[in-house]
Amino acid sequence: MTGNTHVVVAGGGYAGVMAANRLTQRDDVTVTLINPREELVHRVRLHQLVGGSDDALVAYRDVLAERIRLVADTVTRIDAAERSVTLAAGGRLGYDYLIYSAGSRSAEPTVPGAAEFAYPMSVLEEAQRLRAVLDRTPATARVTVVGAGPTGIETAAELAEEGRAVTLVCGGALGPYLHDRGRRSVAGRLAKLGVTVLEGSDTEVRAVTSDAVRLVSGRELPAEVTIWTAGFAVPDLAARSGLSTDALGRVLTDETLTSVDDERVLAAGDSAAPSGLPLRMSCLNATPLGARAADTVLSRLAGRQPDPLHQGLYAQCISLGRKAGIYQFATRSDVAVGVHIGAGLGARIKESVCTGILGHLVKEAKRPGTFRLHRVPGGVAKRRELLRAQQDDEAALAERAV
């Protein structure tokens, strides 16, 4: 390709900002970042926004390279054949390459009453609304948090540390990703904060009302405020635009993050499903996926074969209020192991991770190409092993269906 290349990045979260910054390595690449807001939502701090200790916002001028054009708008449709996107405010924007980094949000709850009476908090506006509700609610009011993944745990701990009476309804296990040892550590910290933790299959929520949460066991929990953190979904933009997606709506790509439908469309972050085997939705994966998508574009422009995925060093980091946290180690297959760091040191590691995310983006904005995509020993081989296992499972299902 000769002349200037225009890359549109749809979505300005961690993956999108990293990709946009990294693309500025080449002077002949023009980058446009499209995002509904004019500020970066520091999503890993949304539970702090709800707890009142942070606003979870970062000015784009602090993390985005000066050369990047920021368009505060929403993409409503992608026309891959015409290589253009339609904007909510009107008009179309053409591209030579598109990096789709639309992120994720709370799944629409199917439990009766949850949509009407429970408060999600996976995006900025939801968290801000919830904070306003809590500000109007007496400190003695009972708060019920539904969902015991990282968001639910962090929110319960944050509010309990603030002095709230909090019940955490797990609907199963506390911290499903965690190893048993890590789970016990988290349970101990929540107990010290006064959080009532309800675990087990009988704690699934059957209904939500304006002042209570009803469980499948028949138990009814009084709740002046119910917070819903169970489940994640991705925007339906890709599917509505005719791109191939998985069951959740993530863009199906190859191992270079290139769409299976169009080599000019790439996907990164929570909305990408490389080879139908997506990585866990997390900032841990989003940032390097953004870098990898940018590298694929840059490699093609340079006439080189893009590298495949080789991510590793998996873990999960959860804050437990401002004074404690847990860093759960895991294998290359992202399975938790019996080693974790907790208490005060865990909190300091979590804080360093939160600040480090922005640090990576700032550094890439100033010196594009400096973010290191670590080549984990055996990373590519392990990924291929997982893909082969997936293909074998699909073949076995096909045989049984004949």
Side-chain angles (χ1 to χ4, degrees), residues 203-356:
T203 65
E204 290 184 17
V205 176
R206 184 178 67 186
V208 179
T209 67
S210 60
D211 58 3
V213 172
R214 294 171 185 161
L215 307 182
V216 294
S217 63
R219 183 175 178 181
E220 185 167 301
L221 308 172
E224 279 84 349
V225 178
T226 299
I227 302 173
W228 196 271
T229 71
F232 275 88
V234 299
D236 65 351
L237 171 61
R240 283 192 289 105
S241 299
L243 294 173
S244 296
T245 64
D246 69 1
L248 286 183
R250 292 173 289 208
V251 176
L252 290 174
T253 75
D254 63 14
E255 289 294 281
T256 70
L257 301 183
T258 303
S259 164
V260 298
D261 302 309
D262 191 324
E263 67 174 9
R264 298 301 186 96
V265 176
L266 298 95
D270 289 354
S271 289
S275 302
L277 192 67
L279 283 69
R280 174 165 48 91
M281 293 183 184
S282 66
C283 66
L284 175 76
N285 286 320
T287 303
L289 283 172
R292 173 61 61 204
D295 283 357
T296 293
V297 173
L298 294 172
S299 292
R300 292 211 169 102
L301 293 178
R304 299 192 304 267
Q305 180 65 33
D307 289 335
L309 285 175
H310 48 68
Q311 287 182 216
L313 301 176
Y314 291 105
Q316 188 173 83
C317 203
I318 303 174
S319 69
L320 299 168
R322 297 297 85 215
K323 298 178 182 178
I326 181 171
Y327 187 87
Q328 171 68 71
F329 290 93
T331 66
R332 286 198 302 264
S333 300
D334 203 17
V335 176
V337 298
V339 180
H340 70 271
I341 299 173
L345 181 55
R348 291 192 291 275
I349 292 175
K350 174 60 189 280
E351 182 59 27
S352 71
V353 168
C354 291
T355 56

Side-chain angles (χ1 to χ4, degrees), residues 66-116:
E66 291 182 3
R67 281 181 47 203
I68 297 169
R69 177 192 177 199
L70 176 64
V71 175
D73 207 335
T74 300
V75 176
T76 58
R77 185 167 181 81
I78 299 165
D79 189 333
E82 295 293 327
R83 293 184 192 163
S84 69
V85 296
T86 302
L87 304 178
R92 293 157 66 93
L93 187 64
Y95 63 80
D96 294 304
Y97 285 93
L98 172 71
I99 296 181
Y100 183 86
S101 53
S104 62
R105 60 171 300 151
S106 295
E108 291 293 332
T110 58
V111 172
E116 294 83 1

